[in-house]
């Protein structure tokens, strides 16, 4: 199918990044946030990133202007009525997502594809909250969205071949490298990444080394861009805790069980970079 207009639901960290890469790829992109201040914040994030790109010589001034021209923001779901594909990146709550899908379905055409950027919820369950489970897929981006090349494409039980192919081709058209991941908690990347991060916390609790030394070990010894604690702070401790709980619920394997320290840090509001303090202070 021909995709011309893209809708993005949510203009937080992930939604803003998705809207940016979509607009940069030449799609007319409409991003929706619930309230004006959140929308303004998200659009300002995009402008700042593009301005930074121009400063670094990674984005041309022309490219920046073109991206911003292709992009518009709204607080009304109805404004997404002409979208060929809608990528939802809102709060990780099945009921909230389901409510948004229902409102969207009352305004969009029958061919519109729905995607969710969920990192851990079941795509088949989300699809079942719509009347178009065959036109529903997972499209999972990585943070920071404009920089990370990977996108996971997830087929729910009912996703049609045509939808899967369209979504895969759409991801490629954004300049991303898609991979096909199963509809199982964590998909491919978080399934491997989260136990590693949890193990780093457990090992630290058991005296393996200091936070700085463990980070340095993995960064310099393995060539990872960030050590596990820097990455935990970057992803968000609450997000990691949330994903770990969903994975543990489904698999019941100790590797996915959130360690006591992670739970306590979340309870104490030490969520990482976003709260100013996690394993490090910002
Ligand atoms: N516009 C365009 N390009 C930009 C830019 C901008 N505003 N800002 C930076 N860049 C480019 C840089 O020029 C550089 O490109 P180059 O490699 O071609 O020179 C590249 O992006 C990296 O930028 P920096 O050099 O400024 O920054 P760092 O080298 O410190 O890298 C990082 C930052 C990309 C965040 C790196 O530390 C990294 O990859 N960290 C790991 C991130 C990660 O693992 N993310 C996944 C998290 S898991 C997830 O998201 C899943 C979810 O479900 C939890």
């Amino acid at each position: 199918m021909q995709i011309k207009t893209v809708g993005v639901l949510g203009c937080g960290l992930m939604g803003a990044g998705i809207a940016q890469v979509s607009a940069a790829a030449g799609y007319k992109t409409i991003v929706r946030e619930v309230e004006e201040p959140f929308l303004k914040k998200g659009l300002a994030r995009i402008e700042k990133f593009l301005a930074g790109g121009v400063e670094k010589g990674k984005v041309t001034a022309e490219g920046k202007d073109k991206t911003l021209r292709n992009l518009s923001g709204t607080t009304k779901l109805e404004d997404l009525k002409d979208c060929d594909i809608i990528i939802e990146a809102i709060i990780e709550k099945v009921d909230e997502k389901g409510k948004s899908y229902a409102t969207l379905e009352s305004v969009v055409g029958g061919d519109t594809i729905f995607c969710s950027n969920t990192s851990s919820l079941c795509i088949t369950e989300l699809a079942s909250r719509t009347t178009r489970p065959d036109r529903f897929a997972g499209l999972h981006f990585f943070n920071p969205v404009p920089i990370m090349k990977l996108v996971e494409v997830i087929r729910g039980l009912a996703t049609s071949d045509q939808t899967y192919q369209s979504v895969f081709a759409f991801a490629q058209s954004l300049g991303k490298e898609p991979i096909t991941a199963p509809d199982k908690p964590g998909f491919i990347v978080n399934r491997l990444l989260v136990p590693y991060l949890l193990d780093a916390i457990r090992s630290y609790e058991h005296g393996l080394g200091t936070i700085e030394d463990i980070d340095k070990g993995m960064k310099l010894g393995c060539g990872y861009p960030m050590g596990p604690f820097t990455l935990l702070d970057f992803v968000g401790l609450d997000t990691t805790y949330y994903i770990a709980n969903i994975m543990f619920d489904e698999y019941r394997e100790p590797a996915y069980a959130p360690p006591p320290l992670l739970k306590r840090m979340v309870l104490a509001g030490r969520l990482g970079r976003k709260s100013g303090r996690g394993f490090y202070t910002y």
Side-chain angles (χ1 to χ4, degrees):
M1 81 174 278
Q2 173 91 12
I3 294 173
K4 287 189 181 142
T5 307
V6 176
V8 179
L9 226 55
C11 199
L13 185 66
M14 298 305 282
I18 296 166
Q20 181 185 324
V21 295
S22 164
Y27 295 107
K28 183 178 174 215
T29 305
I30 308 157
V31 59
R32 188 261 183 179
E33 228 343 315
V34 272
E35 283 173 29
E36 203 64 43
F38 297 134
L39 180 62
K40 274 196 177 146
K41 196 174 163 200
L43 293 174
R45 187 197 295 275
I46 296 173
E47 289 210 42
K48 191 174 168 205
F49 195 93
L50 289 168
V54 173
E55 253 173 50
K56 290 188 166 99
K58 290 279 168 179
V59 180
T60 61
E62 214 173 70
K64 172 180 173 247
D65 292 345
K66 188 194 92 177
T67 302
L68 293 175
R69 264 201 312 277
N70 285 338
L71 187 67
S72 59
T74 182
T75 53
K76 298 191 198 90
L77 279 172
E78 297 72 26
D79 288 345
L80 274 62
K81 66 180 174 17
D82 296 325
C83 292
D84 302 305
I85 187 167
I86 295 176
I87 304 153
E88 166 272 307
I90 66 168
I91 188 166
E92 292 279 60
K93 288 192 177 154
V94 178
D95 286 343
E96 289 297 317
K97 290 181 193 284
K99 269 187 229 160
S100 300
Y101 301 155
T103 309
L104 281 173
E105 286 206 291
S106 65
V107 294
V108 299
D111 288 340
T112 302
I113 294 175
F114 283 13
C115 292
S116 178
N117 176 58
T118 182
S119 61
S120 40
L121 295 172
C122 173
I123 298 302
T124 302
E125 182 180 8
L126 294 179
S128 76
R129 297 295 180 110
T130 71
T131 59
R132 62 186 72 209
D134 54 323
R135 282 148 290 152
F136 195 105
L139 190 58
H140 182 221
F141 290 79
F142 291 81
N143 180 26
V145 176
I147 295 176
M148 304 307 279
K149 292 294 280 181
L150 188 76
V151 177
E152 291 178 315
V153 179
I154 304 106
R155 293 184 76 148
L157 218 51
T159 308
S160 71
D161 289 344
Q162 198 193 338
T163 299
Y164 163 71
Q165 281 153 13
S166 298
V167 172
F168 199 92
F170 171 69
Q172 286 173 319
S173 76
L174 299 179
K176 299 294 181 195
E177 294 279 350
I179 56 174
T180 304
D183 184 18
K184 292 181 180 169
F187 309 133
I188 289 179
V189 173
N190 282 336
R191 169 96 180 244
L192 298 174
L193 176 66
V194 171
Y196 156 70
L197 296 175
L198 301 179
D199 200 34
I201 302 173
R202 260 190 290 274
S203 305
Y204 166 70
E205 280 186 293
H206 293 147
L208 182 70
T210 64
I211 284 169
E212 290 79 6
D213 279 348
I214 297 172
D215 263 2
K216 202 169 178 179
M218 295 313 290
K219 191 176 165 182
L220 301 185
C222 297
Y224 291 179
M226 292 173 164
F229 295 103
T230 307
L231 186 54
L232 277 156
D233 279 358
F234 183 73
V235 168
L237 270 57
D238 51 343
T239 305
T240 309
Y241 182 60
Y242 180 79
I243 299 174
N245 273 315
I246 289 189
M247 290 170 78
F248 184 66
D249 261 3
E250 179 111 13
Y251 298 123
R252 302 280 163 185
E253 286 174 25
Y256 305 109
L261 178 60
L262 177 62
K263 178 176 172 180
R264 276 147 191 80
M265 287 183 71
V266 172
L267 290 173
R270 294 185 191 175
L271 308 181
R273 279 195 200 195
K274 64 176 132 183
S275 70
R277 186 163 178 191
F279 286 102
Y280 296 95
T281 302
Y282 298 88

